[in-house]
């Protein structure tokens, strides 16, 4: 930039280790507004400089010397940074043989020819120091890797991620929308997205009941005092919507479901014989996320957790944790995930985090979680100091179809809420004891899980989840009635069907069904009608043959009931 646009003022240029979309950016003020066409030109100059094999040279100089150098170079932004961040001695980096000097802690590569695989990605606006009152800057995003192969693989994955972007597919497949006039971060599930959500929920509810959970339903708001007792006012107020008042009582929208399930627990006396109690709810929560952090279905202001709270005795908690882990694996595999990364977040040595509970409690909780994972033979990474202040937790991340990791399931111990709400059960000794509480969510948020599924499948859902499972496509108007009859029979058998009786060429109808990623198409002509048959197309395999409606229905039923991930029947159809 200094070479190509003399007079450019440099701001900051950090690495973005946390953001997989980019590798780094540089904020600067150029003599003119940059456009996308400038990026290849800048990149070309970067390559030339890299090839010249110029050495990076670090110098430690006094703060006043650094201020003098940057003032002389008319770099007021760097002066401000040195003033703000520099100590008595500051480090600056030179590139010998170039006009570049930077104020930086380092380290840097020793010379420019180490920079082999990099790419500039995009431009955006930024404010100096992130302050909208301050100077407007231009931001150049880029990324860099050690080798060209790694860069190529990353670029390919990025293109693939764009092709799968749930916001784009959500629109193309008419699954959901977010509407500014109703509010940012709020999700509208359209009928097709709703059909998928219903399948997700039906499956989950069935499993919950089978595994001894009680389904509960709780309000979306509660008196402000409740959030004071729970500690949310104290620790979580920034993420909560402001209170609203009726008859001089203040209420707040719930950011979590936990206190409500506790309310159900507290509504009766419990003996150790009643435990464990497992309360599950598809609980809709609201969080006051800042607009800049919202991202499609992945980060919203209103979302539904597949939440559950387990109240049990310390003796049974390990078994409960194992059941949660088993449950999570079964659910995640059912939705087509095969690779997992498990993390166990524990307390660590830092006492400033205000951990609650005694060391003994923590040791017991950690060993319950560790033993549960070990007994299941699940490899995990111990994350020292990553536990919540109220207890240790297991997080399960899944790898999607293009190798990205998503944090979905969490299983958390809690010492805090049973204490705050003074939960009790009567033990075998006839005395009152405090139960252990486990929070767990498998999908995490239904919205986010759905977003991950859309991207994982690139919108081509397996039959059991597909919003439209079968497209009935008559070749001529003469067979429209036959098509309607077929569609009705399949609907009566519980399938989601669309009959396309528009006056279009069959090629156009098939193309349309393919674009909608409908798993099966039944192509009907005069011959199929006369013989009472259907010609079946599968979206990725094309024609798979002519069969009776009963045969097709039976094949589809088997695929749906087994929640098959590909539309290939065991029988080879
Ligand atoms: Zn909870």
């Amino acid at each position: 930039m200094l070479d190509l646009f003399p007079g450019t003022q440099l701001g900051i240029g950090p690495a973005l280790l946390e953001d997989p979309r980019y590798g780094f950016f540089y904020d600067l003020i150029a003599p003119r507004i940059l456009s996308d066409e400038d990026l290849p030109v800048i990149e070309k100059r970067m390559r030339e400089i890299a090839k010249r094999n110029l050495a990076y040279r670090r110098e430690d100089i006094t703060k006043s010397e650094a201020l003098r150098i940057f003032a002389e170079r008319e770099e007021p932004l760097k002066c401000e940074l040195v003033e703000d961040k520099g100590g008595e001695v500051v480090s600056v980096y030179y590139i010998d043989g170039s006009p570049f000097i930077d104020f930086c802690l380092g380290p840097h590569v020793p010379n420019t020819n180490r920079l082999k695989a990099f790419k500039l990605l995009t431009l955006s606006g930024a404010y100096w120091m992130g302050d909208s009152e301050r100077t407007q800057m231009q931001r150049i995003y880029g990324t860099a890797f050690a080798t060209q192969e790694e860069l190529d693989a990353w670029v390919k994955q990025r293109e693939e991620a764009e092709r799968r972007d749930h916001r784009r597919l959500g629109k193309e497949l008419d699954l959901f929308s977010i509407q500014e006039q109703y509010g940012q971060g709020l999700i509208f599930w359209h009928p097709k997205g709703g059909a998928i959500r219903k399948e997700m929920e039906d499956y989950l509810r069935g499993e919950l009941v089978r595994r001894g959970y009680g389904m509960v339903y709780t309000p979306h708001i509660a008196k402000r005092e409740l959030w004071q007792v729970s500690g949310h006012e104290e620790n979580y107020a920034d993420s909560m919507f402001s209170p609203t008042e009726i008859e001089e009582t203040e209420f707040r929208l719930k950011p979590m479901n936990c206190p409500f399930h506790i309310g159900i627990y507290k509504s009766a006396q419990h003996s150790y014989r009643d435990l464990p109690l497992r309360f599950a709810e598809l609980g809709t929560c609201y969080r006051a996320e800042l607009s800049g952090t919202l991202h499609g279905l992945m980060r919203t202001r209103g979302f539904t957790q597949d939440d559950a709270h387990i109240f049990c005795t310390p003796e049974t908690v390990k078994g409960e944790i194992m059941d949660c882990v088993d449950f999570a694996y079964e659910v995640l595999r059912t939705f087509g995930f095969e690779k997992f990364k498990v993390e166990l977040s524990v307390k660590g040595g830092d006492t400033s985090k205000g951990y609650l509970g005694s060391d003994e409690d923590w040791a017991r909780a950690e060993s319950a979680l560790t033993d549960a994972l070990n007994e299941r033979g699940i490899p995990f990474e111990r994350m020292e100091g990553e536990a919540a202040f109220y207890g240790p937790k297991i997080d399960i991340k899944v790898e999607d179809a293009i190798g990205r990791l998503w944090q979905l399931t969490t299983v958390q111990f809690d010492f805090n809420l049973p204490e705050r709400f003074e939960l009790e059960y009567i033990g075998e000794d006839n005395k009152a004891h405090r139960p252990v509480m486990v929070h767990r969510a498998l999908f995490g948020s239904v919205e986010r899980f759905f977003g991950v599924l859309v991207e994982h499948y690139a919108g081509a859902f397996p039959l059991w989840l597909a919003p439209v499972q079968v497209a009935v496509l008559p070749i001529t108007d003469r067979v429209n009635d036959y098509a309607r009859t077929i569609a009705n029979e399949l609907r009566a058998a519980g399938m989601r069907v669309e009959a396309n009786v528009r006056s279009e060429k069959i090629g156009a109808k098939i193309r349309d069904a393919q674009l909608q990623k409908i798993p099966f198409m039944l192509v009907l002509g005069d011959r199929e009608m006369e013989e009472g048959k259907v010609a079946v197309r599968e979206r990725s395999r094309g024609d798979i043959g002519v069969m009776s409606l009963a045969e097709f229905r039976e094949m589809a039923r088997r695929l749906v009931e087994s929640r098959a991930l590909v539309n290939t029947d065991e029988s080879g159809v």
Side-chain angles (χ1 to χ4, degrees), residues 10 16 77 118 136 182 199 235 269 491 539 550 557:
L10 302 174
L16 299 172
L77 304 175
F118 52 83
Q136 175 114 48
Y182 289 84
E199 289 297 337
N235 301 313
Q269 284 258 326
R491 264 184 219 116
R539 76 180 159 211
R557 186 189 64 76

Side-chain angles (χ1 to χ4, degrees), residues 256-259 261 305 307-309 390 412 414 417 437-440:
M256 294 182 195
N257 304 299
C258 337
H261 294 186
Q305 288 179 319
D307 209 355
H309 295 91
Y390 51 79
Q412 311 191 348
D414 189 347
L417 291 179
M437 184 173 171
V438 176
H439 309 245
R440 69 114 198 91

Side-chain angles (χ1 to χ4, degrees), residues 175 191-197 199 457 459-470 494-497 516-520 539 560 564 567:
L175 302 174
K192 286 179 179 167
I196 299 172
R197 176 166 175 165
E199 289 297 337
Y457 289 117
F461 289 93
L463 188 65
W464 74 283
L465 286 170
V468 177
Q469 295 168 310
V470 184
M495 303 217 61
R496 296 183 287 275
V497 188
Q516 290 297 306
K517 306 183 193 250
I518 298 171
F520 286 107
R539 76 180 159 211
V560 168
N567 301 323

Side-chain angles (χ1 to χ4, degrees), residues 273-288:
R273 288 190 209 88
D274 307 332
L275 303 184
L277 282 171
R278 307 182 190 97
F279 298 150
E281 177 174 16
L282 288 156
T284 302
C285 298
Y286 299 89
R287 293 186 189 166

